[in-house]
Amino acid sequence: MPNSNTTRSIAILGATGSIGDSTTDIILANRDRFRVTTLVGHSNIEKLAERAIQLGAERAVVADEQQYQALRERLAGTPVDVAAGREAVIAAAAESADLVVCAMVGSPGIEPAMAAIQAGNTVALANKEALVCAGPVMMKLAADKGVRILPLDSEHSALFQVFEDKNHAQIEAITVTASGGPFRTWDKKRIRSATLTDALKHPNWTMGQKVTIDSATLANKGLEVIEAHHLFAIGPDAIKVVVHPQSIVHGMVHYTDGSVLAQLGMPDMRTPIAAALAWPNRYAAPQVDRLDLAMLGQLDFEPPDLDRFPMLGLAYDAMREGGAGPALFNAANEVAVKAFVDGRCAFHDIATIVAMTMDKALGDLSAASFTSLDDVLSADQHGQDLANAIVEDQLHRIGAPS
Ligand SMILES: NC(=O)c1ccc[n+]([C@@H]2O[C@H](COP(=O)([O-])OP(=O)(O)OC[C@H]3O[C@@H](n4cnc5c(N)ncnc54)[C@H](OP(=O)(O)O)[C@@H]3O)[C@@H](O)[C@H]2O)c1
């Protein structure tokens, strides 16, 4: 558990990304509360070096080994140690720290998150794909090691803040809200012709590319539902999604006495990040605009449309399947999103690729054991291989989208 009164040591995996930026803002606003141990990035060494100097980090690690020399040169003459490569990333996660912020994108974050937990470090988790894939394996390791996983995602942070552990049996349901993404009001035909530029125009949040596209398909909400299932030990039927275009109410817990506790705030990741970094205290996030409900005037809610956004339904199917199901869903989605970004498939093909992968893979893996990190990684690899083959096959048959 992080030390609540003195300076906290903190490592940031994914320090050069959007969550890395917001985390940096909170550390800078509370400078004397944190000692930054290690920053990890993948390819953006310029930003990694700048950030390491700005935050006074002890070490900077670049995942791409080829960038080692260039990072060393940028940090020459500074006290910052430099390391590179996948093993160095995993070692950085396992170094003793009060908090490890897991903010890498996608399944490459699985092993570092598991390494941080294995080492007994408290984890502040943004990298939802890691928990979605490793689900029961990660939660068991955290329980065995007595490690807290503090959610950074705004919806899970909201739930965490109003979730009464002692009254778990009196919780009827939880709700995660969804902005609805850029295509909330688009009809099915128009969604079919959505371009990458369209998909990257999120109405409320500024985020990395992959999570922005996931928000457009509602795969992000699906991943979040599975994440909530593991974090809060709530069954699939008790996890609801409501579309709330203003993104002011982030999550709600419904109790048996009819009370619904919600957390509200402006759509700014620095609020949930501050909540996790300060837990069980509160630190300031002075950069965040203050919520003024009278100014906003109106909050809207509507049910999600699974016909226009089939990825949400597929995520529920994967969650109900359990075991390797969510890892396969996630792997296929990562492959399909990359294919869309590379112009190798159309927006609406993302759901088709995921559905076909899950159909093919679940037969192979439903009886397979899913209790170890190796099981998680092989389900992820299997899902990626199948989805890649499906993308290739589709390209072969119908060609790339125009
Ligand atoms: N952004 C948000 O508002 C938000 C909100 C909730 C949850 N999340 C979740 O937080 C995670 C990060 O999202 P983001 O928006 O911050 O993404 P992002 O802006 O794309 O940043 C991704 C980070 O991961 C690093 N990275 C990528 N591949 C890596 C690898 N193989 N090894 C080590 N580092 C690697 C990147 O390094 P380089 O840039 O140096 O290549 C970058 O630092 C995602 O799981 C996302 O779903 C994000």
Side-chain angles (χ1 to χ4, degrees), residues 156 174 224-236 239 319 322:
H156 305 79
I174 58 177
E224 287 178 5
V225 161
I226 300 170
E227 189 185 2
H229 168 60
H230 293 303
L231 280 175
F232 300 105
I234 296 285
I239 307 178
M319 173 169 54

Side-chain angles (χ1 to χ4, degrees), residues 192 194 339-340 342-349 394-395 398-402:
R192 283 184 74 85
F340 172 62
D342 294 345
R344 298 164 71 231
C345 76
F347 182 78
H348 69 270
D349 289 332
Q394 282 206 335
L395 276 175
I398 55 174
S402 54

Side-chain angles (χ1 to χ4, degrees), residues 259-315:
S259 294
V260 180
L261 301 194
Q263 185 263 359
L264 284 70
M266 295 301 283
D268 187 322
M269 283 308 294
R270 289 172 294 199
T271 294
I273 290 171
L277 265 52
W279 186 85
N281 304 320
R282 295 262 178 198
Y283 293 166
Q287 310 93 335
V288 176
D289 289 341
R290 269 33 191 169
L291 177 61
D292 183 337
L293 287 174
M295 278 275 287
L296 278 170
Q298 182 177 330
L299 297 180
D300 299 298
F301 300 93
E302 61 197 42
D305 180 345
L306 298 191
D307 183 40
R308 284 183 304 137
F309 299 101
M311 289 295 283
L312 183 55
L314 289 168

Side-chain angles (χ1 to χ4, degrees), residues 14 16-19 42-44 63 103-104 126 128-129 153 207-208 269:
T16 47
S18 164
I19 292 288
H42 180 244
S43 54
N44 190 347
M104 289 162 55
K128 60 194 86 181
E129 296 93 340
D153 229 336
M207 309 183 284
M269 283 308 294

Side-chain angles (χ1 to χ4, degrees), residues 158-343:
L159 295 169
F160 183 76
Q161 292 182 54
V162 294
F163 196 99
E164 296 175 3
D165 265 327
K166 64 179 186 301
N167 289 318
H168 199 296
Q170 303 305 322
I171 291 172
E172 267 177 359
I174 58 177
T175 298
V176 292
T177 57
S179 70
F183 307 141
R184 181 178 65 86
T185 58
W186 290 29
D187 64 26
K188 222 171 160 177
K189 189 162 164 240
R190 194 168 166 215
I191 292 175
R192 283 184 74 85
S193 63
T195 65
L196 178 58
T197 312
D198 296 328
L200 289 175
K201 277 187 203 138
H202 197 283
N204 300 343
W205 301 93
T206 308
M207 309 183 284
Q209 187 180 61
K210 196 257 176 184
V211 60
T212 305
I213 294 168
D214 285 348
S215 298
T217 59
L218 289 203
N220 183 51
K221 215 42 59 182
L223 294 170
E224 287 178 5
V225 161
I226 300 170
E227 189 185 2
H229 168 60
H230 293 303
L231 280 175
F232 300 105
I234 296 285
D237 295 335
I239 307 178
K240 320 272 179 215
V241 173
V242 67
V243 175
H244 166 43
Q246 293 90 356
S247 300
I248 296 296
V249 179
H250 302 295
M252 298 175 248
V253 178
H254 307 247
Y255 293 89
T256 50
D257 63 1
S259 294
V260 180
L261 301 194
Q263 185 263 359
L264 284 70
M266 295 301 283
D268 187 322
M269 283 308 294
R270 289 172 294 199
T271 294
I273 290 171
L277 265 52
W279 186 85
N281 304 320
R282 295 262 178 198
Y283 293 166
Q287 310 93 335
V288 176
D289 289 341
R290 269 33 191 169
L291 177 61
D292 183 337
L293 287 174
M295 278 275 287
L296 278 170
Q298 182 177 330
L299 297 180
D300 299 298
F301 300 93
E302 61 197 42
D305 180 345
L306 298 191
D307 183 40
R308 284 183 304 137
F309 299 101
M311 289 295 283
L312 183 55
L314 289 168
Y316 270 94
D317 292 346
M319 173 169 54
R320 290 197 169 96
E321 181 71 32
L328 294 167
F329 169 83
N330 179 71
N333 181 52
E334 288 192 20
V335 167
V337 169
K338 183 161 186 332
F340 172 62
V341 169
D342 294 345

